[in-house]
């Protein structure tokens, strides 16, 4: 059974750091499990949310699969800043 780590809405409340971060918040972003799924520390997640172009293709693919959103859409959000 696949675990959806984005199921817990609004657990992490902060001002959005980027358009991509806003998207994750709207999708029910959970910093703890995103950190776990991407094998990154929470501090690194915070840095990447300020500079989302640091996410690798592997990270984007994982986020895409978890949220059910096309990876191209996510890439567009990242580079829209």
């Amino acid at each position: 059974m696949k675990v959806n780590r984005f199921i817990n809405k609004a657990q992490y409340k902060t001002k959005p750091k980027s358009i991509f971060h806003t998207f994750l918040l709207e999708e029910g972003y959970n910093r703890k499990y995103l950190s776990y799924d991407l094998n990154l520390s929470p501090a690194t997640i915070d840095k990447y949310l300020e500079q989302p172009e640091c996410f690798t293709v592997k990270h984007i693919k994982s986020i895409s699969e978890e949220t059910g959103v096309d990876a191209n859409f996510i890439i567009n959000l990242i580079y829209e800043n």
Side-chain angles (χ1 to χ4, degrees), residues 26-63:
E26 290 172 357
E27 288 294 316
Y29 162 68
N30 183 312
R31 179 175 170 241
K32 175 183 172 186
Y33 290 119
L34 183 62
S35 170
Y36 175 78
D37 285 346
L38 300 181
N39 199 26
L40 297 170
S41 72
T44 302
I45 292 291
D46 287 340
K47 177 187 168 203
Y48 282 17
L49 290 173
E50 289 179 21
Q51 301 170 339
E53 58 276 356
C54 295
F55 282 106
T56 65
V57 172
K58 183 179 175 183
H59 296 147
I60 293 169
K61 181 178 183 258
S62 179
I63 293 167

